[in-house]
Amino acid sequence: MLTHGLTLPIQYLKGVGPRKASLLRKLGIETVKDALYYLPYQYEDRRNKKNIFEIKPGEFVTAEGKIVQINEIKTKTKLSIIEIVISDGTGFLKAKWFNQIFLKKLFKEKQKIKLFGKTQVDYWGKYIEILNPEYELVDQISNHQNQNILPIYRLTEGLSQRQMHSIIQSALELAIPFIDEYLPESILKKLNFPYLKEAIKYVHFPPNDMDIKLLNEKISLFHRRIIFDELFFLQLGILLMKQNRFYEKGLSFNPEGKLLKKFFENLPFELTSAQKKVIKEILDDMKKTTPMNRLLQGDVGSGKTVVAVAAMLAAIEAGYQAALMAPTEILAEQHYLNISSLLKGLPVNVLILTSSYNKYSHLIWSGAVDLVVGTHALIQEDIRFKNLGLVVIDEQHRFGVVQRGAIRKKGLNPDTLVMTATPIPRTMALTVYGDLDYSILDELPKGRKPVLTEVIKPENKKLVYKMIDDEIKSGGQVYIVYPFIEESETIDLKSATHGYEALKKLFPEYGVGLIHGKMSSKEREEIMKKFRNGIIHILVATTVIEVGVDVPNATLMIIIHAERFGLAQLHQLRGRVGRGIRPSKCILLPYKLTEEAELRLRAIVNYSDGFKIAEEDMKIRGPGEVFGVRQSGMPDLKVADLLRDQFCLEIARKEAEILLAEDKNLRLYPEIRALLEEFWRGKIDVFRTV
Ligand code: ADP
Ligand code: MG
């Protein structure tokens, strides 16, 4: 399969050379194979060229005409727009490009040009316009004379559609003979797929009688075949990871149950039925000899910590150590305090280990402690456990697979439980977490009230001071949160400190505290203690309090510069209030609102359910960003899109399962094996243990 034709560096392809190769590299095209998999996103139908006056809004069109006007527009937000008007004698059409100044030099009046794109009515309702259309200057138009339908690619400055057409054409001529079919005939038949060779050829240059609507508005069968293959390799790899683990030998925990029983009896509350169900799932899994790899998902406040402690106690009672890894120091400290108090009176030694508490690490090695709570400091090389049996990773989305792996290596195939508050749609569950088993806490403890959320404009800031005063007078406490973004750390810290000083002056009768990540953990602990004990009424904080902090009497949260936070972050932050009996409020105080920020804040105001919020987030930012697909250690997807291609993903998952059930090592499919290894290279060794 790895033939010369496909792996040839693109520079050596006929008609390319070093200059074009460097442009192609910008598009991610390094080899001939990359070029073949660089798919068009739209097609031009040469059979159906319209006069401009026939063009309606909302269509994909090809329009040809002479440039009659070129304008450069600068907006208040410093966006630069190049706008042209073209005419073919029957009407006028406008086109606009954002931030592509170089076009000003490229376009000349009277020049003939062709535009492709989706039309709409312009702002003034006067012209039909196309935003950011693809274009070809007519002296550069493709010479694929007998081709009715031409592909349109996303390009980069300096590369024209015509040039791209010839590059793809040469790539096809050179490499098509080397493309072999690897999917079993049975799959092709079942899914009604074309052969790979055909799919690749026709996805670029479709047959002349193809329905253009089908090509532009739906995903053609050629496209789908190629997308399927990518998702199929993705799923095969994930399923192999899961399968491999089944053959690994792990620990089996069979505790007597006395310790757990006592723990449950000591709890100041009744477990929710979701907690009971999930604890049983986990304990059952821990009894098995294969290592547990389980994801526990539960919205903010659903009570994941208690579940984690129950699992850790099972490991401890069976004679092993357990570790809980949290993403921030402050969260580790909170967990430590919380867990120590939950375990009061039980014979369990708990230790905290962060970069500021390092000196007791010998107790971990000697086995003097049973339960260690820590940050990524736990995965430092010199930290050794005596017999680590269970690893719990909190707020998993912040750790990549690498860190997940590193902590597991501290034991001999310990069981692993990863916890996240981010709800996972099915496509993601099948991908980023596709190798894990899954438990869900789909119920909040009784008596939780939704947090009333509202946006207050900066000019009404005074209202907020009154709210703070009222809240404290009626017995509540207040968080005021400032953004804390790494690049502007000092500025943000300054604004938090500034806010703190101002509030002290405004409310001399109340206790005002400041907490941030630059303090020593001792100082922070001191402040949190005062807040918990009610000595501090108003706690000014950076986002260090984002996760895990738990003070039920805090009933008002004010988020300064709310527009600078992401949706998941806002949801997490808001989860810090609404934990007690009193109704709680969250005030979002934005300073400058972009359209995107407004959408985000609206989602937080409208929804309290984390699942809904994640859905909105995906619409705004795309699923890859939301679920950290990049950090997750999965291969990059070149042609598939996890949101658009959900259906195809399900099918690919099923076909991968069927194939592995029939042939678990893929011995009968050496080509698939080879391609699979290539697909996952540098990520994981999918055939590691089989
Ligand atoms: P999260 O899932 O966000 O990590 P926590 O584990 O921090 O949630 O729990 C949130 C709060 O709810 C804590 O104060 C915890 O003590 C409390 N809690 C947990 N389970 C229950 C329950 N079954 N009934 C009442 N309160 C509970
Ligand atoms: Mg938590």
Side-chain angles (χ1 to χ4, degrees):
M1 261 319 285
L2 296 176
T3 50
H4 189 59
L6 287 164
T7 52
L8 184 73
I10 196 71
Q11 178 175 344
Y12 304 118
L13 183 68
K14 199 178 79 194
V16 178
R19 198 192 67 87
K20 276 188 210 153
S22 78
L23 293 174
L24 290 168
R25 221 166 285 132
K26 283 194 198 162
L27 303 174
I29 301 174
E30 307 265 352
T31 64
V32 166
K33 183 173 176 184
D34 295 337
L36 295 183
Y37 281 87
Y38 194 76
L39 306 188
Y41 73 98
Q42 206 184 312
Y43 299 87
E44 173 201 354
D45 189 352
R46 292 188 156 184
R47 292 165 299 188
N48 176 27
K49 204 180 297 158
K50 282 189 173 171
N51 288 321
I52 288 181
F53 87 97
E54 295 173 296
I55 293 174
K56 294 192 191 64
E59 308 185 285
F60 279 105
V61 296
T62 305
E64 200 173 329
K66 270 192 189 154
I67 298 180
V68 295
Q69 243 188 60
I70 305 172
N71 303 316
E72 185 187 348
I73 304 164
K74 277 227 154 61
T75 68
K76 267 189 230 144
T77 52
K78 296 218 177 105
L79 198 65
S80 102
I81 303 174
I82 299 294
E83 178 190 271
I84 64 170
V85 179
I86 70 165
S87 170
D88 63 353
T90 73
F92 296 96
L93 182 75
K94 208 151 84 172
K96 278 182 193 159
W97 291 266
F98 299 95
N99 283 337
Q100 298 195 39
I101 280 291
F102 68 95
L103 293 175
K104 199 167 113 182
K105 272 185 276 161
L106 189 70
F107 296 149
K108 304 269 177 320
E109 280 191 22
K110 301 218 178 92
Q111 191 174 38
K112 270 189 124 180
I113 189 170
K114 225 181 197 186
L115 303 172
F116 323 99
K118 195 166 178 190
T119 54
Q120 62 178 42
V121 179
D122 81 345
Y123 181 76
W124 309 102
K126 231 167 114 185
Y127 281 99
I128 288 185
E129 67 176 6
I130 311 182
L131 300 185
N132 288 316
E134 289 299 330
Y135 59 88
E136 275 181 46
L137 298 175
V138 170
D139 56 357
Q140 296 179 353
I141 281 177
S142 227
N143 50 6
H144 286 74
Q145 292 305 346
N146 37 25
Q147 189 71 35
N148 281 339
I149 302 174
L150 283 180
I152 303 173
Y153 301 93
R154 293 200 194 282
L155 296 179
T156 181
E157 183 183 347
L159 202 60
S160 71
Q161 294 291 343
R162 177 170 81 152
Q163 289 167 332
M164 193 66 176
H165 292 162
S166 345
I167 293 166
I168 298 290
Q169 188 71 51
S170 325
L172 285 167
E173 274 161 25
L174 176 78
I176 280 284
F178 299 108
I179 296 177
D180 295 324
E181 189 53 62
Y182 45 77
L183 284 188
E185 201 72 34
S186 59
I187 294 187
L188 294 176
K189 269 234 177 69
K190 189 182 335 171
L191 302 176
N192 205 2
F193 274 156
Y195 288 117
L196 185 60
K197 214 180 254 207
E198 276 176 40
I200 289 188
K201 187 167 137 207
Y202 290 130
V203 80
H204 292 287
F205 296 104
N208 268 335
D209 56 355
M210 205 52 202
D211 179 359
I212 188 78
K213 264 205 141 113
L214 197 78
L215 284 174
N216 276 340
E217 283 159 34
K218 292 221 177 95
I219 292 175
S220 76
L221 214 49
F222 312 124
H223 245 111
R224 205 168 322 149
R225 162 71 211 261
I226 296 166
I227 291 168
F228 172 87
D229 285 17
E230 190 170 53
L231 295 173
F232 184 64
F233 287 121
L234 182 74
Q235 288 302 326
L236 275 177
I238 290 166
L239 288 168
L240 278 166
M241 260 195 271
K242 195 168 175 176
Q243 175 184 295
N244 292 348
R245 218 145 31 216
F246 192 73
Y247 297 101
E248 276 173 21
K249 207 158 159 39
L251 306 166
S252 162
F253 301 94
N254 257 316
E256 206 181 319
K258 273 194 192 142
L259 192 60
L260 272 169
K261 187 155 171 277
K262 201 153 173 216
F263 169 65
F264 291 136
E265 281 167 3
N266 280 0
L267 280 180
F269 45 72
E270 173 84 4
L271 291 174
T272 63
S273 35
Q275 282 169 323
K276 286 181 193 155
K277 179 194 77 186
V278 163
I279 290 173
K280 182 170 181 329
E281 280 168 9
I282 292 171
L283 297 186
D284 285 349
D285 204 357
M286 288 176 67
K287 284 200 182 98
K288 296 182 191 154
T289 50
T290 49
M292 172 168 81
N293 256 285
R294 186 168 286 272
L295 178 72
L296 169 60
Q297 193 239 302
D299 204 348
V300 175
S302 59
K304 295 184 288 294
T305 315
V306 174
V307 174
V309 174
M312 293 194 284
L313 288 180
I316 292 165
E317 195 175 6
Y320 291 90
Q321 290 170 301
L324 172 77
M325 183 160 81
T328 64
E329 204 150 292
I330 195 155
L331 181 52
E333 286 159 14
Q334 287 289 311
H335 272 315
Y336 171 71
L337 294 172
N338 185 13
I339 290 173
S340 305
S341 99
L342 284 170
L343 295 180
K344 211 168 271 163
L346 296 183
V348 176
N349 294 320
V350 186
L351 180 79
I352 178 162
L353 191 128
T354 66
S355 44
S356 14
Y357 293 93
N358 226 337
K359 51 184 175 214
Y360 299 113
S361 60
H362 60 279
L363 298 177
I364 304 177
W365 171 230
S366 72
V369 291
D370 310 302
L371 197 166
V372 187
V373 178
T375 55
H376 46 265
L378 278 172
I379 56 183
Q380 294 166 118
E381 222 163 279
D382 54 340
I383 303 295
R384 291 206 191 83
F385 284 80
K386 180 158 182 247
N387 58 354
L388 180 61
L390 173 71
V391 171
V392 180
I393 302 175
D394 196 16
E395 304 301 341
Q396 131 80 16
H397 62 287
R398 299 194 175 196
F399 292 109
V401 254
V402 179
Q403 285 154 318
R404 236 208 272 167
I407 177 79
R408 293 186 66 226
K409 286 206 191 90
K410 300 279 174 189
L412 265 176
N413 266 334
D415 280 8
T416 311
L417 179 68
V418 298
M419 308 199 290
T420 178
T422 314
I424 296 134
R426 195 164 154 75
T427 33
M428 291 299 141
L430 290 178
T431 355
V432 181
Y433 303 110
D435 62 319
L436 304 179
D437 293 307
Y438 184 57
S439 290
I440 179 163
L441 281 177
D442 50 7
E443 183 188 0
L444 293 181
K446 275 192 220 70
R448 283 283 155 77
K449 297 190 189 71
V451 177
L452 184 70
T453 305
E454 102 186 77
V455 176
I456 290 191
K457 300 223 173 88
E459 59 265 32
N460 299 331
K461 215 161 104 183
K462 291 252 159 61
L463 278 178
V464 177
Y465 298 139
K466 176 145 182 5
M467 281 176 170
I468 296 174
D469 197 34
D470 289 348
E471 195 65 38
I472 299 173
K473 281 216 175 86
S474 60
Q477 284 168 284
V478 184
Y479 290 111
I480 300 188
V481 183
Y482 282 82
F484 191 82
I485 301 164
E486 252 160 80
E487 308 93 71
S488 57
E489 221 166 274
T490 37
I491 302 169
D492 285 326
L493 194 52
K494 232 193 245 160
S495 63
T497 316
H498 205 78
Y500 163 67
E501 297 295 345
L503 283 156
K504 265 207 311 207
K505 283 207 192 94
L506 264 165
F507 297 109
E509 69 275 35
Y510 298 139
V512 183
L514 174 68
I515 190 165
H516 58 75
K518 291 263 135 115
M519 289 173 155
S520 76
S521 46
K522 246 214 157 56
E523 288 172 295
R524 280 200 304 256
E525 208 174 286
E526 202 55 36
I527 299 275
M528 281 315 291
K529 203 158 146 199
K530 281 191 188 155
F531 190 54
R532 220 172 291 117
N533 297 341
I535 297 167
I536 290 176
H537 302 96
I538 304 172
L539 183 62
V540 179
T542 56
T543 44
V544 288
I545 64 152
E546 184 185 331
V547 280
V549 172
D550 189 21
V551 179
N553 195 48
T555 41
L556 174 63
M557 167 164 290
I558 292 157
I559 304 178
I560 311 287
H561 270 302
E563 79 280 10
R564 282 168 58 183
F565 292 89
L567 262 181
Q569 243 185 337
L570 288 171
H571 181 56
Q572 281 280 2
L573 277 171
R574 180 173 56 180
R576 298 311 110 211
V577 291
R579 292 177 162 244
I581 342 149
R582 289 160 45 86
S584 294
K585 249 192 283 188
C586 176
I587 303 298
L588 308 172
L589 204 66
Y591 278 61
K592 223 173 35 204
L593 270 186
T594 61
E595 211 169 299
E596 198 213 288
E598 205 170 336
L599 282 177
R600 247 182 293 140
L601 299 192
R602 204 178 306 148
I604 287 288
V605 170
N606 289 345
Y607 302 112
S608 56
D609 172 358
F611 200 92
K612 270 283 185 213
I613 289 170
E615 251 177 35
E616 293 300 306
D617 205 9
M618 278 202 294
K619 281 189 213 148
I620 302 171
R621 288 195 299 149
E625 286 298 314
V626 176
F627 294 97
V629 177
R630 183 116 335 127
Q631 305 95 283
S632 72
M634 295 287 153
D636 285 337
L637 296 179
K638 288 208 170 106
V639 293
D641 171 331
L642 290 177
L643 199 57
R644 181 194 63 193
D645 302 322
Q646 292 187 24
F647 184 64
C648 200
L649 180 72
E650 301 267 357
I651 296 173
R653 171 82 167 198
K654 193 181 287 158
E655 291 306 325
E657 276 168 356
I658 294 173
L659 196 70
L660 287 175
E662 172 201 330
D663 178 9
K664 75 175 161 63
N665 306 322
L666 299 177
R667 298 251 184 265
L668 302 174
Y669 301 97
E671 295 99 336
I672 294 185
R673 244 184 105 101
L675 283 167
L676 189 61
E677 269 168 325
E678 187 191 325
F679 184 75
W680 285 87
R681 183 157 302 140
K683 303 287 180 183
I684 54 161
D685 181 0
V686 282
F687 292 104
R688 188 167 34 113
T689 53
V690 211

